[in-house]
């Protein structure tokens, strides 16, 4: 049986890297990218693969039974790698219901399709790509493991926790074959410039203020997106059904230290005087309920599946900054139109931005 993998959210940041990785490394698969093309989805992210014969794009909504069933029937989907989601914490604070709809109802709609279509006794796999934010927030010490209790604290993380629970419940109740991974913060090319790293680079490029929430002492564990795609490959092919794998880079940074580092890299690459970008840093009102620290123990995926990050943070960050500086057109395009309206509403109501 040919494997035909439905990759949801394939036009987004991580999804586009996963599609590129699978097309480059597996010549026998058919890859169907199923994406609604929201503000975060952009087919420009996949220009280099759009003529690949193994690849097809379907515009559809994961919350629509009709759209999902049509795709399963037409393409005889054997596996799903589910990435489609509303993914930004700040937006979830602004509009929680759209996160409930997409992340919870959308995941359940996909799981129902798996139940209905995968009755042939063949090999199938529903892979849910999730986040470490489901575990809540850490103090100064400790790491999240696969057995850390769920304690989501933002509408985003609560919606992802709900979808993780639904995946496990469908596995337990209906026998839907699944794996789940929970990953730390990703960075790299093609990330929508509302998340910390691309937002900062974009603002430095435009000479705009760099909004650091609170005192900038919150900590995140950063992983290069291609290393996440490599981990997804490992979990998809070698992960044991019913298991969960945490993915992280052992790469913790305080936000302010990271912004300083980015400022220095960008100034150097643009030939600006040292300190130019740092002078744009503006401390702004903290995010409500802001999680203090995330950090992942990825011992299980390393020991069981042999995965390790392939680049250092210095290497990954240099590649990332180079990409954004070389792709001003992409940045200008994705930050125009509907996004610009949202950004202005969201950020001008806080007059300190
Ligand atoms: P993204 O916001 O860049 O992309 C999301 C994609 O989903 C977009 O292409 C969008 O068009 C699509 N989408 C949204 N709603 C849809 C719907 N109703 N139907 C079909 N498609 C829809 O997100 P990302 O950063 O690439 O994250 C991908 C996944 O990985 C998410 O599930 C996220 O929770 C998870 N994750 C992200 C990170 C991170 O650091 N970005 C870390 C861990 C886990
Ligand atoms: P973000 O990239 O939104 O990811 P997440 O909230 O899912 O971890 O934010 C990363 C960290 O950076 C988080 O602690 C919030 C902070 N942050 C800022 O200080 N300023 C910003 O403009 C943004 C977008 C985030």
């Amino acid at each position: 049986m040919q494997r035909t993998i439905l990759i949801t959210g394939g036009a987004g940041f991580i999804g586009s890297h996963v599609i590129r990785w699978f097309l480059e490394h597996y010549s026998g698969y058919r890859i169907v990218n199923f994406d609604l093309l929201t503000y975060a989805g952009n087919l420009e992210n996949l220009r280099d693969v759009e003529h690949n014969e193994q690849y097809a794009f379907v515009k559809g909504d994961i919350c629509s039974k009709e759209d999902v069933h049509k795709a399963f029937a037409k393409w005889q989907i054997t596996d799903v790698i589910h990435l489609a989601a509303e993914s930004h914490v700040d937006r979830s604070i602004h509009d929680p219901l759209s996160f409930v709809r997409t992340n919870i109802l959308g995941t359940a709609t996909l799981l129902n399709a798996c139940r209905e279509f995968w009755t042939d006794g063949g090999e199938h796999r529903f892979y849910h790509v999730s986040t470490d934010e489901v575990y809540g927030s850490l103090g100064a010490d400790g790491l999240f493991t696969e057995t850390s209790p769920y304690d989501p604290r933002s509408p985003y993380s609560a919606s992802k926790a709900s979808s993780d629970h639904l995946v496990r419940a469908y596995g337990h109740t209906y026998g839907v074959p699944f794996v789940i991974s929970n990953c730390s913060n990703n960075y790299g090319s093609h990330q929508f410039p509302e998340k910390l790293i691309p937002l900062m680079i974009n603002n430095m490029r435009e000479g705009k203020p760099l909004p650091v929430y609170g005192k900038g002492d919150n900590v995140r564990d950063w992983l290069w997106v291609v290393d996440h795609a490599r981990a997804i490959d490992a979990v998809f092919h070698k992960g044991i059904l019913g298991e969960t794998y945490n993915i992280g880079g052992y790469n913790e940074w305080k936000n302010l230290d990271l912004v300083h580092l980015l400022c220095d890299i960008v100034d150097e690459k643009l030939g600006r005087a040292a300190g130019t970008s740092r002078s744009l840093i503006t401390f702004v009102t903290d995010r409500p309920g802001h999680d203090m620290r995330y950090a992942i123990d990825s011992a299980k995926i390393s020991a069981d599946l042999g995965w390790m990050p392939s680049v250092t943070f210095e290497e990954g960050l240099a590649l990332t900054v180079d990409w954004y500086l070389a792709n001003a057109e992409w940045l200008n395009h994705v930050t125009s139109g509907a996004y610009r309206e949202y950004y202005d509403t969201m950020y001008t109501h806080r007059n300190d931005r």
Side-chain angles (χ1 to χ4, degrees):
M1 181 170 69
Q2 183 183 27
R3 264 185 134 161
T4 301
I5 311 170
L6 189 80
I7 300 193
T8 71
F13 165 49
I14 302 172
S16 61
H17 283 277
V18 172
I19 288 180
R20 190 171 298 103
W21 180 269
F22 270 66
L23 289 172
E24 277 171 9
H25 292 85
Y26 298 96
S27 55
Y29 296 161
R30 210 158 43 176
I31 302 288
V32 179
N33 174 10
F34 184 95
D35 198 298
L36 188 58
L37 301 182
T38 67
Y39 79 95
N42 186 348
L43 289 177
E44 277 177 47
N45 295 352
L46 289 161
R47 280 283 173 259
D48 51 330
V49 303
E50 66 188 3
H51 298 301
N52 187 312
E53 286 181 355
Q54 290 171 252
Y55 169 78
F57 172 68
V58 173
K59 183 167 180 196
D61 183 350
I62 56 168
C63 302
S64 156
K65 178 177 173 185
E66 196 192 338
D67 289 358
V68 170
H69 279 229
K70 236 193 233 168
F72 266 71
K74 175 172 178 190
W75 295 96
Q76 294 175 28
I77 298 301
T78 59
D79 300 86
V80 174
I81 303 180
H82 175 35
L83 298 110
E86 287 295 337
S87 69
H88 192 211
V89 174
D90 291 329
R91 278 180 191 257
S92 83
I93 294 167
H94 190 66
D95 177 18
L97 288 187
S98 64
F99 284 67
V100 170
R101 179 181 182 274
T102 300
N103 300 356
I104 305 177
L105 181 63
T107 302
T109 305
L110 288 167
L111 288 163
N112 273 338
C114 297
R115 270 178 72 199
E116 291 185 33
F117 281 85
W118 293 348
T119 51
D120 57 0
E123 270 190 39
H124 301 288
R125 180 166 288 227
F126 183 91
Y127 179 175
H128 187 221
V129 176
S130 191
T131 166
D132 62 352
E133 301 188 26
V134 298
Y135 300 122
S137 179
L138 291 164
D141 303 316
L143 302 172
F144 295 131
T145 71
E146 288 80 1
T147 56
S148 296
Y150 273 42
D151 182 24
R153 294 148 55 98
S154 72
Y156 165 66
S157 55
S159 68
K160 291 298 288 188
S162 304
S163 52
D164 284 359
H165 288 322
L166 279 168
V167 173
R168 293 195 181 95
Y170 272 66
H172 183 74
T173 309
Y174 307 111
V176 172
F178 75 88
V179 280
I180 296 175
S181 60
N182 297 84
C183 188
S184 63
N185 288 60
N186 285 213
Y187 70 95
S189 69
H190 302 91
Q191 183 172 32
F192 198 84
E194 64 184 352
K195 307 269 170 67
L196 180 72
I197 290 181
L199 181 138
M200 291 295 167
I201 300 171
N202 192 35
N203 285 14
M204 286 174 208
R205 190 180 71 98
E206 294 185 339
K208 288 191 179 151
L210 309 178
V212 172
Y213 299 169
K215 296 192 193 119
D217 51 8
N218 302 67
V219 173
R220 298 293 183 263
D221 174 3
W222 294 95
L223 181 71
W224 190 42
V225 63
V226 178
D227 280 331
H228 190 188
R230 290 173 53 250
I232 288 172
D233 176 354
V235 173
F236 182 74
H237 290 100
K238 300 190 277 182
I240 294 172
L241 288 178
E243 292 284 320
T244 296
Y245 298 87
N246 279 356
I247 306 168
Y250 294 111
N251 180 38
E252 292 181 49
W253 283 80
K254 268 192 189 172
N255 291 338
L256 186 58
D257 293 341
L258 174 52
V259 172
H260 281 154
L261 177 64
L262 272 174
C263 286
D264 297 347
I265 297 175
V266 168
D267 285 350
E268 198 197 316
K269 287 193 186 283
L270 292 180
R272 291 178 176 164
T276 307
S277 293
R278 284 189 187 218
S279 69
L280 298 170
I281 292 173
T282 312
F283 292 93
V284 300
T285 314
D286 208 353
R287 171 188 284 173
H290 196 171
D291 286 343
M292 180 46 78
R293 175 172 165 258
Y294 304 141
I296 279 276
D297 180 346
S298 27
K300 178 176 173 182
I301 188 173
S302 297
D304 294 2
L305 309 185
W307 173 88
M308 289 288 282
S310 69
V311 297
T312 63
F313 194 42
E314 289 66 27
E315 291 164 340
L317 216 48
L319 288 169
T320 302
V321 171
D322 285 342
W323 189 85
Y324 287 100
L325 295 182
N327 285 277
E329 204 183 319
W330 183 92
L331 279 168
N332 292 336
H333 181 190
V334 301
T335 55
S336 59
Y339 168 73
R340 175 60 61 194
E341 281 163 33
Y342 161 82
Y343 187 90
D344 290 344
T345 335
M346 175 96 175
Y347 289 92
T348 46
H349 80 274
R350 290 185 183 179
N351 55 13
D352 52 0
R353 280 169 193 277

